[in-house]
Amino acid sequence: MAKKYRILVVDDEESITFLLRTELEELPDFDVDVALNGTEAINHIQSNLYDVALLDIKMPRVSGIDVLKFINEHSPTTQVIMLTNIVDYKTAIETIKLGAYDFISKPYDPGELIATVRRAVERRQLVIDKEVMQRELNRISGPSGLVGESAGFKASVENARRVATSEAFILIQGASGTGKELIAHLIHNESPRRDQPFVAVNCASIPDQLLESELFGHEKGAFTNAYSTKQGLVEVANGGTLFLDEVGDISQPTQAKLLRFLETGEFRRVGGTTAMRVDVRVISATNKHLQREVQEGRFREDLFYRLNVVSIQLPLLRERKEDIPLLVDYFLKRKSKANAKKLSPEALEVLMRYDWPGNVRELEHVIEGGIVLCQGDVIEPRDLWMNPALSTDILSGPPGRAPVNDDGILSLEELEKIHIEKALKFNHWNRVKTAQMLGITPKTLYLKIKRYCIKVSSASD
Ligand SMILES: Nc1ncnc2c1ncn2[C@@H]1O[C@H](COP(=O)(O)OP(=O)(O)OP(=O)(O)O)[C@@H](O)[C@H]1O
Ligand SMILES: [Mg+2]
C-alpha cells in the first residue's frame, strides 16, 4: 500500500475545511485531519506528526501565524501552506519570512492546491533526508566535525577538551592539514568564551608591514592610505578568542610588539598615543617546529613560552592510518551532491598505502577529485589523484599504476608523466589550468605532453 501523507487543515469556516478535506481525500495518498480554530490545531500537532499543514491566517484568538510559530518550534519538518482570504500579499509574504513553505489565496484553484501540497510533501522529504544525513555525519564526527578514533588523535582531542575551559594560552603544533584550525575552533566552542567572538588571523598571509596594523589597528593618517581610524583585530576579539594561525611566520619586530601585548594586555594603535586594553584568550598554531625556530634564533624564546602555556601536538595522517576509512566515509558523504559515492576496496588499499604529506586536507582533496573523476558510483584507483612516488610500497606497484623498471623503481620521467596525466585528468584536460596547478607555463606543459606522448582526450585551452 502506498504511503499516506498526513495533512492538517485549519480554518474557522467549516465550509472551507469540508471542501479541502473532500478534495484532498479524493486522492488515495492523503489522510486529512481538520481543526476549526488555532487551539484545536495546536492540540492536533502535539499528538500527531503532519507532513503538511494548511493554515488560515485570520482566525479569532489564536491566529494562523501563532500556529505557524508553534509548528516551527515543535514540529519543524511539517511544511506549512498559508491560506489567505483577501489577496493580502503583504501578510502572506511575512509568513514566508516566518518559515511558511508557500501560500494560496482563497478562492483557490483545486489543481493548484493539490500541486502545492505535493511540492510541500516532496520538500519535507528533502528536509528530512538532510537531517538524517546531518545526524549521520555528526555520529561519525561528533558535533565538532573532527573525525578520528585512533589513540594518538583521540589523545590530542581529549587534551584540547580538557584545557578548553581554562584561560590558558594554547599552542597547537602539527604539520600542514592535520586539523589545527578545527582544534582551535573546538577549544573556543567548549570554552566559557564560546558566545564571544572567535577571530582568526593568518599571520603568514598578511604582509609583515600590515600585520601590526591588522592586529592593533591604526589611527587616521598613521601612514599613507590610512584614511580613517581602524580597529585592530585584538579589539574585535575582545572578550573572546584570538587565533594566531601560522604564528611561526611573524617577523622579529612584530614578535616584540606581540609579546608586549601578551604580557600586559595593552597595545597602541599604529600612529596612536593612548594605551588600550582588551581581554582576549590567545590560541596559536604553527606547522613549523617552533622550538627549533627558537634554537636557530628566528623566534623569540620569551614569546614562545608566553604562547606555549599548554601545547597540543596533532599526529600526521600516516601515523594514524586506521582513521583513513572513517575520514573517507565522512568526506564521501559530505562532498557527494545527491547519492554518496563509494570507494572500491582496491582504491581504499591505494589510500592506505600512500604517505599523505598533505595530511587530512590532501585526503579531502583526493576524495573530492575522485568524486568528480569517477564514471559510475564507485571510485576506483584510476580516479585518485595522488603522487604515486609517495606510495609506501611502490616496489610492488599499487593497482592500476604505471610500470616500474626492472629494479622496481620508477624513473623520474615516468613519475613526471604519470603526474602530468593525473593533473590533466583532474582538470578535465584543460591545459591552462593544469599548467597553473603544476606551476609551469602552458608551453612547457605542451612540450612535456609531446615528449611523453600523453594522449589528451579533448584540449580546451
Ligand atoms: N580530524 C578531522 N576530521 C575531519 N576533517 C578534518 C580533520 N582534520 C582536518 N580536517 C579537514 O582538513 C582540512 C584541513 O584542516 P585544518 O585547516 O584544520 O588544518 P591545519 O592543520 O590548520 O592546516 P594548515 O597548516 O595547512 O593551515 C579542513 O578542510 C578540515 O575540515
Ligand atoms: Mg590552518
Side-chain angles (χ1 to χ4, degrees), residues 163 166-171 282 284 303-312:
V163 294
S166 76
E167 284 285 294
F169 284 8
I170 297 175
L171 175 66
V282 176
S284 38
L303 180 58
F304 172 69
Y305 286 115
R306 181 63 54 182
L307 293 171
N308 187 21
V309 177
V310 176
S311 138
I312 292 174

Side-chain angles (χ1 to χ4, degrees), residues 180-181 245-246 361:
K180 298 183 291 296
E181 189 157 352
D245 203 359
E246 313 293 0
R361 178 179 295 108

Side-chain angles (χ1 to χ4, degrees), residues 145-147 153 176-182 246 327 360-361 364:
L146 279 161
V147 179
F153 182 70
S176 180
T178 46
K180 298 183 291 296
E181 189 157 352
L182 281 184
E246 313 293 0
L327 283 159
V360 185
R361 178 179 295 108
E364 186 176 358

